[in-house]
Amino acid sequence: MALRDDFPILQRKVHGHPLVYLDNAATTQKPQVVIDAMSDYYSQSNANVHRAVHTLAGEATDGYEGCRTRLKTWFNAERAILTSGTTEAINLVAHAWGRANLTKDDAIVLTEMEHHSDIVPWQMLAEERGVEIRYVPVLDDFTLDMEVFEASLVGAKLVCVVHTSNVLGVRNPLERIIKSAHAAGAKVLIDAAQGAPHVRIDFDAFGADFMAFSAHKMCGPTGIGALLVRPDAFEEMQPFMGGGDMIETVTTEGSTYQDNEHKFEAGTPRIAEAIGWNAAFGWMETLDLEKEHKRMLEIARYTAKELRGMGMTVYGRHDDGDSAVVSFLHPKLHSEDMAHLLDAVGYAVRTGHHCAQPLLNRLGISSTVRASYYFYNTMEEAEQFIAQLKIILERFA
Ligand code: PLP
């Protein structure tokens, strides 16, 4: 597969075996163009942004702002705030919008399917402000209980929902969620950490008020992500971190703030990371994302079917639109043991609660083994993975 050649890490061996990287929901690998773009910045253009008139500062500023421009075009969004990732983007909404707009008489709607980064910031806000949190349950078919969701909207000011579950791969019915929430007068935050890497999202047409995601899950570097914000919600946000770059004027009496995204990007930003992320978008642009998404889903369906045939419990359904994440458990062999045995022959999978303890509690388990596929994975790798698991079960289960 030609595109694998773009990823140097895929050439390496682990314990003497070729690496089969199936931990893409945690983080994806980086193509050479991303590594080169970051290295070029440090070796040729390194300077701080926005402040100086010299050539290097201009190049650094163009590189950093180029990422923002790319985000706005890629997602059709008017406002793109650069953050350290999904987690910081959600915390930014809690601090900059939540603290300015929510009081103890308000409610927030979350789901049992959320990643901890879309639960803990709201629990902290609830503790501070007395805001009520309501959770939409997950049904036995791994979907949200939409009846409870609709009922929970009464008096709600904000709905926070994961685009695609990092444990189940289930894509939520976001169009309906956004429509109902807006009809009830609530704003909507989408955690698209797992959605944005797999499908093209038109943020404006989508209609959500906030959307958070991370570069490192879509071939970009760690340490950078974004919060897309609709213009009316943007106007309702108050600065969270104070410092350089976010101000218009500062006197000893007080300060005024910038009126664009810089208002929420105090201090020296992630310049090399922005440049690397922009290169990642450039690389992804060469792919037919829809076709790739279908191909990965086919691999996930094959994996899930084979695992069920081997007596494993698979958590997820792999419907059209879901992501290529396969979470599973063997009735006897512990997930950690299975992951160690797989690592010994070069397979990288994730185990544990995947930062979604409420969901795992709901499923009555404390851990799964998770294989998650991305563009550079092949059906042959999935077949080898299944064959390897059969060998492990024969020997150890
Ligand atoms: N939300 C979901 C659904 C995720 O899968 C993740 C990461 O695994 C996050 C949020 C947090 O992303 P980050 O650690 O990049 O901030």
Side-chain angles (χ1 to χ4, degrees), residues 41-303:
Y41 162 70
Y42 279 126
S43 55
Q44 298 299 321
S45 306
N46 181 51
N48 213 327
V49 291
H50 300 148
R51 286 169 209 152
V53 295
H54 61 78
T55 301
L56 266 52
E59 288 173 11
T61 303
D62 288 350
Y64 181 70
E65 291 300 330
C67 180
R68 194 191 315 282
T69 305
R70 172 84 76 162
L71 282 164
K72 289 182 177 181
T73 319
W74 184 274
F75 291 101
N76 190 23
E78 264 185 62
R79 294 289 186 189
I81 302 168
L82 289 162
T83 66
S84 68
T86 309
T87 304
E88 190 184 286
I90 296 173
N91 275 275
L92 180 61
V93 179
H95 281 273
W97 186 86
R99 276 168 181 75
N101 293 281
L102 298 174
T103 67
K104 70 174 176 41
D105 299 320
D106 295 322
I108 306 174
V109 178
L110 308 181
T111 85
E112 280 182 344
M113 214 187 267
E114 299 313 300
H115 188 279
H116 295 165
S117 64
D118 200 23
I119 297 177
V120 184
W122 305 115
Q123 289 175 336
M124 291 162 94
L125 184 69
E127 238 171 67
E128 188 188 304
R129 292 291 165 95
V131 176
E132 182 197 348
I133 298 181
R134 299 170 184 163
Y135 288 93
V136 180
V138 171
L139 299 170
D140 290 343
D141 66 358
F142 308 113
T143 63
L144 294 176
D145 186 331
M146 293 303 287
E147 266 180 46
V148 174
F149 166 70
E150 300 285 352
S152 70
L153 289 174
V154 181
K157 278 269 183 73
L158 180 68
V159 172
C160 303
V161 61
V162 69
H163 181 291
T164 301
S165 164
N166 61 315
V167 179
L168 307 168
V170 168
R171 194 255 198 213
N172 284 314
L174 301 159
E175 292 73 9
R176 176 173 166 193
I177 288 171
I178 293 166
K179 201 167 163 215
S180 298
H182 282 171
K187 290 210 162 13
V188 182
L189 162 70
I190 304 290
D191 170 356
Q194 300 292 339
H198 288 265
V199 287
R200 212 53 199 257
I201 301 171
D202 182 327
F203 179 68
D204 189 44
F206 202 40
D209 301 277
F210 306 99
M211 192 168 90
F213 46 95
S214 305
H216 70 95
K217 292 182 195 288
M218 46 198 307
C219 293
T222 52
I224 189 162
L227 178 71
L228 306 182
V229 189
R230 284 183 86 78
D232 55 337
F234 189 85
E235 294 309 317
E236 293 175 7
M237 290 169 71
Q238 295 302 319
F240 157 48
M241 282 211 304
D245 241 24
M246 52 79 73
I247 51 85
E248 197 65 61
T249 60
V250 181
T251 66
T252 48
E253 279 73 46
S255 308
T256 59
Y257 309 122
Q258 303 235 28
D259 55 10
N260 59 17
E261 288 91 335
H262 295 163
K263 179 155 69 170
F264 304 104
E265 296 173 7
T268 298
R270 304 140 186 106
I271 307 164
E273 289 76 8
I275 289 168
W277 197 7
N278 200 355
F281 279 114
W283 183 85
M284 280 175 67
E285 212 154 45
T286 63
L287 301 180
D288 180 341
L289 281 193
E290 215 171 298
K291 195 169 140 213
E292 283 301 320
H293 183 253
K294 283 192 182 135
R295 187 182 66 80
M296 288 188 279
L297 199 54
E298 278 314 309
I299 299 176
R301 283 176 177 149
Y302 159 80
T303 309

Side-chain angles (χ1 to χ4, degrees), residues 12 42 87 107 113 185 198 256 302 305 320 327 359 371 384 393:
R12 77 159 278 184
Y42 279 126
T87 304
M113 214 187 267
H198 288 265
T256 59
Y302 159 80
K305 184 166 168 275
D320 291 348
S327 271
L359 174 60
Q384 288 161 15
L393 292 193

